[in-house]
Amino acid sequence: MNNEFLKGKIAVITGASKGLGRAMAIALAERGVRIALVSRNANLLSSVAKEIRSKSGQAEPFKADVTDEAEVASLAKAVVAKFGKPQILINN
């Protein structure tokens, strides 16, 4: 995919603290996507955010349990407040 198409977009990635979610977050950040990292593990999320930022990417960790409807509603508001309306959602 054309990197210029992705540059500046906002992505929300659940399960972003490890495995495929982490890998997708890093790959998209390398292409200029601003990343909202979502997971239940705040420590691992912070580590992924630091890794992305160390490579000049933009990422923000959001601790949330996506099986909890109230947490998802709070997450949505927090992401929009931080980044604006997301264009990419990866439910991992």
Side-chain angles (χ1 to χ4, degrees):
M1 181 169 278
N2 183 341
N3 287 349
E4 288 303 311
F5 174 77
L6 291 171
K7 191 172 183 174
K9 300 279 195 260
I10 300 159
V12 176
I13 303 175
T14 65
S17 62
K18 56 186 176 181
L20 288 173
R22 177 184 171 278
M24 288 184 278
I26 291 168
L28 286 172
E30 288 172 349
R31 287 157 181 81
V33 177
R34 297 164 44 198
I35 311 291
L37 303 161
V38 181
S39 173
R40 294 174 295 187
N41 189 318
N43 291 332
L44 289 176
L45 280 179
S46 291
S47 176
V48 176
K50 285 178 188 174
E51 182 177 354
I52 290 171
R53 291 177 190 143
S54 76
K55 298 174 184 175
S56 299
Q58 294 182 26
E60 189 70 30
F62 295 89
K63 183 180 181 289
D65 180 348
V66 297
T67 66
D68 182 317
E69 196 172 327
E71 285 192 37
V72 172
S74 293
L75 168 67
K77 289 178 185 175
V79 169
V80 170
K82 179 67 180 180
F83 288 116
K85 193 173 183 180
Q87 293 82 33
I88 302 167
L89 173 63
I90 298 175
N91 286 315
N92 174 51

